[in-house]
Amino acid sequence: MAEQIQKKLQGELEKYQQLQKDLSRAVAARQKLEAQLTENNIVKEELELLDATNTIFKLMGPVLVKQEMEEAKGTVGKRLEYITGEIKRYEQQMQELERRSEQQRETLGRLQQELQRGQGKG
Amino acid sequence: MEAFSGALPLSPALVGRLRQECEKVVTSCQEKIQHWKKVESDYEALQERLRTLPNKLSYDIMVPFGPLAFMPGKLVHTNEVTVLLGDNWFSKCSAKQAVELIEHRKKHVRKVLDDLQKVMKNFESRAEFTDLQKMSDAAGDFVDIREEIEDVSIETKGKYRTAHKPHSKPKLSNVFEVDFPANGSDTKSMGHFQSEEELWAHLEELERQEELLGELDRMPNTAETNGEDTSSSEEEKEDKRTDLNGMYRAEDCITQGNFHKEVTNSDLFGGQVNGSTYYHSDDEDDIDVGDNSVPTIFFSHTVEPKRVRINTGKNTTLKFSEKKEEANRKRKNSSGNGHATPELPNIKTPADIYRVFVDVVNGEYVPRKSILKSRSRENSVCSNTSDNSAAEFDDRQGVQRSISCDEATQSDNSESILEEEEEEEEEGQQQLPKKLLPSSGTTEAFSGTVIEKEPLSPSLIPHPVIAHPILPTILERKSEEVLSKASEETPKRISKFKAARMQQPS
């Protein structure tokens, strides 16, 4: 009986650990996105500072490709929106993961109690 | 940190851990700050370089060739700078434009630096605090001071008033001396509503202490009159230690306007004093003690009734006035209450006074205004420092009161009657306060008209139990009002609604 509980406990524990890993991954991704968000914001602002006479390049691989000012601004704006959307998505994911991990924790707690009881009896 | 119980949230181990974490954050913040400061200085250097670069058309330099070799070369197009904007975006701009861009970036860096500084400061203070906690826990020098607030819900109509009148002595003694041994029960415990007897006992005790303190200093006039009341009440209540004295004192206090003390006293007394002037109980006490070392409060405006010293027990004597005695006797007869003093409403804070003493307007109970306001004076039981008007009032009130005393035999009836009478009196008194105001400006904080309703009033101090409404004095009336209003304070009090209801049929 106790062994069964122990096995169950192991299984639940692994699930919980997996959830935790997912959570941390999501957190890291979100942080990266945040950094990109800041960066793109700075780029946008600096583009405002420049005027039409400046040539704008985009680094694609080893190549610097010339871009138009408006094109660049548009691209940067779109990228910003994309990043914010990604952040939101990751937020939701994180919440979901947290909820699930909370449930797992409860389950783990219960199993542990059962195990203790079983051990106590036996 | 020695052995603290592990259950303590502030156990040394936990506190130590907390402090560690705080310090960790602080260190990391410091590192980040260092990093960003370097970034800023780099940008500064870059700006400087950009400013000087366009000075020459071309520079002769040694160009790095791999990690180990250099070769001579020329730096041309000194004004053209390709700037990395971020996220793989570049732009060709002049040196000046590049400088502007750098300036913009520096702004951003400075913002980050500021935020980091704030965070660091926060955590530093937190770490300090936890340290302090640990220290205190270990040393035990710093104790979390907790004061359990008693059940008395401190309600104040507006702000607490401060005494206008400077008292000769700080009223602190009142507060501190109260070590009320339970006269029957420790009513003195902060704000516990206890039985009336206990309250009375407490009040009496306080009064005695006042006397002992010899604080009767203030308005001798007002003190006397009140003192008479108190003495008579004390006399009557000696056994019961009712709160009459306190009440009288409260009345006196009104004149004296020593709110501060009153507040403390009222707290001490546990709201025993009934009547609007309860919060003045302090003064009253003081007054009593001051003069002649007897707790008598004399009103300048009233004729001093004959005072006789009464031994009220523990080494205190109260002045007894015939008038008071009369009043007391009257009350006794009318109310049929064996106790000399009617039960007073349970007043523990000045706010209670407002609850207890309500104006009866059109049969409805209206909260009474503060006595310090002109309108409230009319109903105040405190003796007025001014001589003339007070005397007039007394006469008038005495008559009215006596009527009320006689008529009121039941709580309901008396309430209604008293209410009516009070209304009358109040109206009548309303005019007087104005007159009295100017004259009373001596030492009392309460410069308004305090009309001492006749010597009966002391004995008629409203008691918490409405059942004994037959209080010829305004005090009683007020107490009744208070009682009627503060139904929640004592079980015997009748809520104003009930009173209104009762009054309606009458």
Side-chain angles (χ1 to χ4, degrees):
Chain A
M1 178 60 188
E3 287 176 11
Q4 282 177 356
I5 299 177
Q6 206 152 19
K7 282 210 201 100
K8 261 202 270 177
L9 193 66
Q10 281 294 112
E12 296 297 321
L13 199 64
E14 278 167 18
K15 273 197 240 164
Y16 183 68
Q17 280 169 352
Q18 189 59 32
L19 278 175
Q20 289 293 105
K21 271 198 224 131
D22 294 340
L23 197 65
S24 58
R25 245 191 293 128
V27 166
R30 189 172 172 280
Q31 278 176 350
K32 216 162 42 126
L33 284 173
E34 290 242 10
Q36 283 182 359
L37 185 76
T38 344
E39 195 178 5
N40 273 280
N41 269 320
I42 292 183
V43 172
K44 191 154 184 272
E45 285 164 20
E46 290 187 352
L47 279 178
E48 307 292 326
L49 283 176
L50 293 173
D51 54 24
T53 55
N54 304 102
T55 6
I56 302 188
F57 299 95
K58 176 117 169 92
L59 183 70
M60 298 193 188
V63 181
L64 266 182
V65 179
K66 194 157 168 227
Q67 298 267 344
E68 301 290 322
M69 177 65 106
E70 295 78 19
E71 207 182 319
K73 285 191 185 161
T75 317
V76 173
K78 281 205 208 101
R79 179 132 178 90
L80 270 175
E81 286 170 21
Y82 169 76
I83 290 177
T84 32
E86 283 286 297
I87 287 182
K88 274 201 208 114
R89 195 169 65 84
Y90 270 100
E91 282 280 328
Q92 287 172 357
Q93 210 178 19
M94 266 170 38
Q95 279 175 7
E96 176 67 26
L97 282 173
E98 274 185 39
R99 200 174 53 78
R100 297 224 318 252
S101 69
E102 189 65 40
Q103 286 175 353
Q104 275 301 106
R105 246 180 279 155
E106 284 172 29
T107 326
L108 280 175
R110 261 188 294 119
L111 279 178
Q112 268 176 352
Q113 281 177 2
E114 280 182 34
L115 187 69
Q116 281 173 1
R117 256 185 282 132
Q119 282 176 348
K121 276 194 233 160
Chain B
M1 319 301 173
E2 285 61 50
F4 287 87
S5 86
L8 278 181
L10 291 178
S11 78
L14 290 177
V15 173
R17 175 111 195 291
L18 180 64
R19 184 160 166 72
Q20 269 174 26
E21 292 292 321
C22 281
E23 278 167 3
K24 252 197 254 171
V25 175
V26 170
T27 359
S28 81
C29 271
Q30 276 170 344
E31 285 170 7
K32 283 189 206 152
I33 286 176
Q34 288 289 342
H35 167 259
W36 284 106
K37 277 211 175 113
K38 186 163 172 298
V39 167
E40 197 181 3
S41 69
D42 282 350
Y43 273 130
E44 300 266 341
L46 185 58
Q47 266 184 324
E48 208 40 51
R49 168 66 71 233
L50 280 175
R51 283 195 192 108
T52 61
L53 203 60
N55 288 349
K56 274 170 56 169
L57 277 174
S58 66
Y59 290 91
D60 290 321
I61 56 173
M62 288 298 268
V63 184
F65 223 59
L68 302 169
F70 292 87
M71 65 174 271
K74 267 194 155 99
L75 191 65
V76 296
H77 294 295
T78 51
N79 204 31
E80 291 172 30
V81 185
T82 309
V83 181
L84 170 64
L85 303 176
D87 194 25
N88 287 344
W89 286 98
F90 291 83
S91 91
K92 240 191 179 49
C93 35
S94 71
K96 276 228 177 77
Q97 284 172 331
V99 167
E100 282 172 19
L101 281 176
I102 294 178
E103 196 59 45
H104 172 259
R105 286 196 202 168
K106 275 207 303 194
K107 225 185 353 169
H108 178 73
V109 168
R110 267 183 240 130
K111 191 162 75 81
V112 172
L113 262 179
D114 284 344
D115 289 345
L116 278 177
Q117 296 270 18
K118 276 190 219 156
V119 169
M120 199 177 77
K121 258 195 223 128
N122 262 342
F123 275 90
E124 265 179 8
S125 58
R126 260 213 235 168
E128 261 180 47
F129 178 71
T130 56
D131 211 16
L132 200 63
Q133 275 284 8
K134 280 168 40 171
M135 277 178 5
S136 68
D137 287 348
D141 288 344
F142 304 97
V143 181
D144 188 11
I145 299 173
R146 279 169 203 261
E147 277 186 24
E148 301 297 336
I149 297 187
E150 307 303 337
D151 58 16
V152 178
S153 57
I154 303 200
E155 308 167 10
T156 50
K157 270 189 188 177
K159 317 171 204 169
Y160 270 99
R161 281 164 288 188
T162 53
H164 306 312
K165 169 181 122 99
H167 287 277
S168 56
K169 250 202 279 188
K171 273 303 198 173
L172 299 177
S173 55
N174 281 339
V175 181
F176 302 137
E177 285 172 351
V178 177
D179 55 343
F180 299 36
N183 273 325
S185 61
D186 256 344
T187 53
K188 245 359 198 167
S189 54
M190 308 309 289
H192 288 303
F193 282 139
Q194 303 176 358
S195 73
E196 292 166 11
E197 287 82 347
E198 294 167 353
L199 289 175
W200 301 140
H202 260 311
L203 199 57
E204 197 141 317
E205 191 61 33
L206 279 177
E207 287 175 355
R208 297 225 190 98
Q209 291 185 5
E210 295 266 6
E211 292 174 19
L212 290 176
L213 291 178
E215 286 187 4
L216 265 190
D217 216 6
R218 330 252 174 123
M219 325 203 345
N221 295 333
T222 57
E224 284 183 5
T225 47
N226 285 341
E228 296 171 2
D229 294 340
T230 53
S231 59
S232 59
S233 60
E234 291 228 354
E235 175 191 28
E236 296 171 352
K237 297 184 240 177
E238 223 178 291
D239 305 335
K240 193 185 171 185
R241 299 196 184 214
T242 54
D243 219 352
L244 283 186
N245 287 331
M247 278 194 17
Y248 303 134
R249 292 175 191 229
E251 298 169 357
D252 288 335
C253 291
I254 290 177
T255 54
Q256 300 179 0
N258 189 2
F259 264 87
H260 225 47
K261 299 181 194 177
E262 292 155 3
V263 171
T264 50
N265 271 350
S266 61
D267 286 338
L268 293 173
F269 283 103
Q272 297 169 358
V273 175
N274 318 311
S276 55
T277 62
Y278 179 71
Y279 49 86
H280 293 292
S281 59
D282 286 352
D283 288 348
E284 287 180 342
D285 290 340
D286 293 346
I287 297 168
D288 286 344
V289 177
D291 277 5
N292 313 325
S293 69
V294 168
T296 53
I297 300 170
F298 304 102
F299 291 104
S300 58
H301 64 281
T302 52
V303 175
E304 191 113 43
K306 175 180 153 195
R307 290 191 303 275
V308 172
R309 292 199 175 225
I310 300 171
N311 188 353
T312 54
K314 309 177 178 180
N315 303 328
T316 58
T317 57
L318 295 170
K319 283 190 184 173
F320 172 67
S321 77
E322 287 183 346
K323 277 189 182 180
K324 276 190 195 176
E325 191 54 34
E326 265 179 42
N328 292 338
R329 265 183 260 119
K330 242 184 184 178
R331 264 179 306 144
K332 281 181 186 167
N333 298 336
S334 56
S335 62
N337 185 8
H339 302 291
T341 57
E343 297 151 59
L344 301 172
N346 199 3
I347 296 182
K348 294 197 177 184
T349 69
D352 297 344
I353 296 167
Y354 290 104
R355 270 198 301 278
V356 172
F357 290 94
V358 295
D359 292 342
V360 179
V361 177
N362 302 327
E364 292 298 328
Y365 284 86
V366 171
R368 199 171 284 202
K369 278 170 68 173
S370 105
I371 59 158
L372 287 189
K373 298 185 179 158
S374 62
R375 184 179 163 327
S376 68
R377 302 233 179 76
E378 53 195 68
N379 295 326
S380 72
V381 207
C382 289
S383 60
N384 188 359
T385 49
S386 68
D387 296 355
N388 304 331
S389 45
E392 294 172 2
F393 269 117
D394 287 350
D395 296 341
R396 226 183 301 156
Q397 294 160 9
V399 174
Q400 290 170 338
R401 271 188 245 121
S402 51
I403 296 174
S404 64
C405 282
D406 298 340
E407 293 175 346
T409 49
Q410 294 179 3
S411 60
D412 294 353
N413 296 339
S414 58
E415 279 178 299
S416 53
I417 293 169
L418 289 176
E419 293 161 12
E420 295 159 6
E421 289 179 345
E422 293 209 24
E423 282 173 333
E424 299 168 18
E425 284 204 13
E426 291 176 13
E427 291 162 11
Q429 293 165 16
Q430 264 171 357
Q431 293 134 25
L432 279 182
K434 311 285 165 53
K435 287 189 257 164
L436 293 176
L437 274 171
S439 52
S440 61
T442 43
T443 49
E444 330 106 308
F446 171 68
S447 61
T449 306
V450 178
I451 294 150
E452 189 201 23
K453 310 272 183 180
E454 74 180 335
L456 289 178
S457 55
S459 57
L460 297 178
I461 287 179
H463 40 84
V465 179
I466 296 184
H468 306 278
I470 306 170
L471 301 175
T473 61
I474 295 179
L475 291 174
E476 294 186 346
R477 261 202 306 272
K478 288 186 180 175
S479 62
E480 298 218 0
E481 289 179 343
V482 176
L483 290 175
S484 60
K485 206 176 188 185
S487 56
E488 71 281 0
E489 295 194 0
T490 43
K492 291 182 189 175
R493 286 190 194 166
I494 301 179
S495 73
K496 63 180 171 184
F497 303 106
K498 188 178 174 190
R501 276 200 307 277
M502 293 189 309
Q503 193 190 22
Q504 281 168 6
S506 67

